[in-house]
Amino acid sequence: MDAKDILLDGFGRLPDEVSGALRGLTAEQLRWAPVEGANTIGWLIWHLTRVQDSHLADLLGTEQIYVTGDWGPKFGLKSDASDTGYGDSAGQISRVEPRSAQVLLDYYRAVHDRTVGYVAGLSDADLDEVVDDRWDPPVTRGVRLVSVIDDDAQHAGQAAYLRGLL
C-alpha cells in the first residue's frame, strides 16, 4: 500500500461516520446542544466540511464549493470563504442553523467527492511538496491531508457522541 492509498482509505471511512451521525435527525436535533454554548451536531458536521473544503480549495488553487455553490444560506449564513467555524464562540456556533440533515450531507458529499478525486490524482512527489512554510517544520501536502482526516474523524466522532445523548 502506498501513501495515496492510505489517504484514500482514511477519507473513504468518513462518509459513513458523517451520514451515521446525521441519519434521521430533524433540524431541531441538529441545533440541540447538551449545555448552552456547546457544539451542536449541525455545527460539527458543517465545521468539519468547511475546514476540508477550505483546505482542498487552497491546495487546488480554486474557490471553495461553499462559495461557488452558495451553500451559506442553507445554513442560515452568508457564503463567506473565511468562515470555517475555527475558533467560533458559543454565539457563533448557535448561528449555524442547517435546514436539514440532508443539506449537511449534500454539502459534505460534494466536498468529499472533490477531495477523493484530488487525492486519487496525486503522486508521491506531490505529497512531499511543501504547501505551508509558516510552520516549523513546514507542512507538506501529505501532512495537510492527514490533518484534514484527523480533524474530520474527531468532529464526526463528537457528532456521533452527541447523537447518542439525544
Side-chain angles (χ1 to χ4, degrees), residues 1 4-14 149:
M1 180 176 265
K4 181 172 66 172
D5 290 337
I6 292 169
L7 291 170
L8 288 170
D9 183 74
F11 280 111
R13 294 170 187 237
L14 295 168
I149 291 169

Short mmCIF file of all heavy atoms in Angstrom, two decimals, residues 1 4-14 149:
data_model
loop_
_atom_site.label_atom_id
_atom_site.label_comp_id
_atom_site.label_asym_id
_atom_site.label_seq_id
_atom_site.Cartn_x
_atom_site.Cartn_y
_atom_site.Cartn_z
N MET A 1 0.85 -1.17 0.00
CA MET A 1 0.00 0.00 0.00
C MET A 1 0.90 1.23 0.00
O MET A 1 1.84 1.31 0.77
CB MET A 1 -0.88 -0.03 1.24
CG MET A 1 -1.82 1.15 1.35
SD MET A 1 -2.93 1.04 2.77
CE MET A 1 -4.35 0.30 2.01
N LYS A 4 -0.74 7.32 -0.97
CA LYS A 4 -2.00 7.78 -1.56
C LYS A 4 -3.14 6.83 -1.21
O LYS A 4 -4.25 7.26 -0.88
CB LYS A 4 -1.86 7.93 -3.08
CG LYS A 4 -3.12 8.42 -3.75
CD LYS A 4 -2.90 8.75 -5.20
CE LYS A 4 -2.58 7.55 -6.01
NZ LYS A 4 -2.54 7.81 -7.44
N ASP A 5 -2.87 5.53 -1.23
CA ASP A 5 -3.90 4.54 -0.87
C ASP A 5 -4.32 4.70 0.59
O ASP A 5 -5.51 4.54 0.92
CB ASP A 5 -3.40 3.12 -1.10
CG ASP A 5 -3.24 2.79 -2.57
OD1 ASP A 5 -3.90 3.44 -3.41
OD2 ASP A 5 -2.44 1.87 -2.88
N ILE A 6 -3.38 5.00 1.45
CA ILE A 6 -3.70 5.20 2.86
C ILE A 6 -4.59 6.44 3.02
O ILE A 6 -5.58 6.41 3.76
CB ILE A 6 -2.42 5.32 3.71
CG1 ILE A 6 -1.71 3.96 3.74
CG2 ILE A 6 -2.73 5.80 5.12
CD1 ILE A 6 -0.31 4.01 4.31
N LEU A 7 -4.25 7.51 2.32
CA LEU A 7 -5.08 8.72 2.38
C LEU A 7 -6.48 8.45 1.85
O LEU A 7 -7.48 8.87 2.45
CB LEU A 7 -4.43 9.86 1.59
CG LEU A 7 -3.16 10.44 2.19
CD1 LEU A 7 -2.47 11.37 1.20
CD2 LEU A 7 -3.46 11.17 3.50
N LEU A 8 -6.57 7.75 0.74
CA LEU A 8 -7.89 7.43 0.17
C LEU A 8 -8.70 6.55 1.13
O LEU A 8 -9.91 6.74 1.27
CB LEU A 8 -7.74 6.76 -1.19
CG LEU A 8 -7.28 7.69 -2.32
CD1 LEU A 8 -6.92 6.89 -3.57
CD2 LEU A 8 -8.35 8.73 -2.62
N ASP A 9 -8.04 5.62 1.80
CA ASP A 9 -8.72 4.80 2.78
C ASP A 9 -9.23 5.65 3.94
O ASP A 9 -10.37 5.51 4.38
CB ASP A 9 -7.80 3.69 3.30
CG ASP A 9 -8.51 2.78 4.26
OD1 ASP A 9 -9.33 1.96 3.79
OD2 ASP A 9 -8.28 2.89 5.48
N GLY A 10 -8.39 6.56 4.42
CA GLY A 10 -8.80 7.44 5.52
C GLY A 10 -9.99 8.30 5.14
O GLY A 10 -10.98 8.38 5.89
N PHE A 11 -9.92 8.94 3.98
CA PHE A 11 -11.05 9.76 3.54
C PHE A 11 -12.27 8.88 3.25
O PHE A 11 -13.41 9.29 3.47
CB PHE A 11 -10.69 10.59 2.30
CG PHE A 11 -9.91 11.83 2.62
CD1 PHE A 11 -8.58 11.95 2.25
CD2 PHE A 11 -10.51 12.89 3.29
CE1 PHE A 11 -7.85 13.09 2.55
CE2 PHE A 11 -9.80 14.04 3.59
CZ PHE A 11 -8.46 14.13 3.23
N GLY A 12 -12.05 7.66 2.78
CA GLY A 12 -13.15 6.76 2.46
C GLY A 12 -13.94 6.29 3.66
O GLY A 12 -15.09 5.86 3.52
N ARG A 13 -13.38 6.36 4.84
CA ARG A 13 -14.08 5.94 6.06
C ARG A 13 -15.02 7.01 6.59
O ARG A 13 -15.93 6.72 7.36
CB ARG A 13 -13.06 5.58 7.14
CG ARG A 13 -12.23 4.37 6.80
CD ARG A 13 -11.08 4.19 7.76
NE ARG A 13 -10.22 3.10 7.30
CZ ARG A 13 -9.93 2.04 8.03
NH1 ARG A 13 -10.40 1.94 9.25
NH2 ARG A 13 -9.17 1.10 7.54
N LEU A 14 -14.79 8.24 6.21
CA LEU A 14 -15.52 9.36 6.80
C LEU A 14 -16.99 9.48 6.40
O LEU A 14 -17.82 9.83 7.23
CB LEU A 14 -14.77 10.66 6.51
CG LEU A 14 -13.39 10.74 7.16
CD1 LEU A 14 -12.60 11.92 6.60
CD2 LEU A 14 -13.51 10.82 8.67
N ILE A 149 -8.02 14.64 7.60
CA ILE A 149 -8.63 13.37 8.02
C ILE A 149 -8.77 13.34 9.53
O ILE A 149 -9.82 12.97 10.06
CB ILE A 149 -7.80 12.17 7.52
CG1 ILE A 149 -7.88 12.04 6.00
CG2 ILE A 149 -8.28 10.88 8.19
CD1 ILE A 149 -6.89 11.05 5.41
#
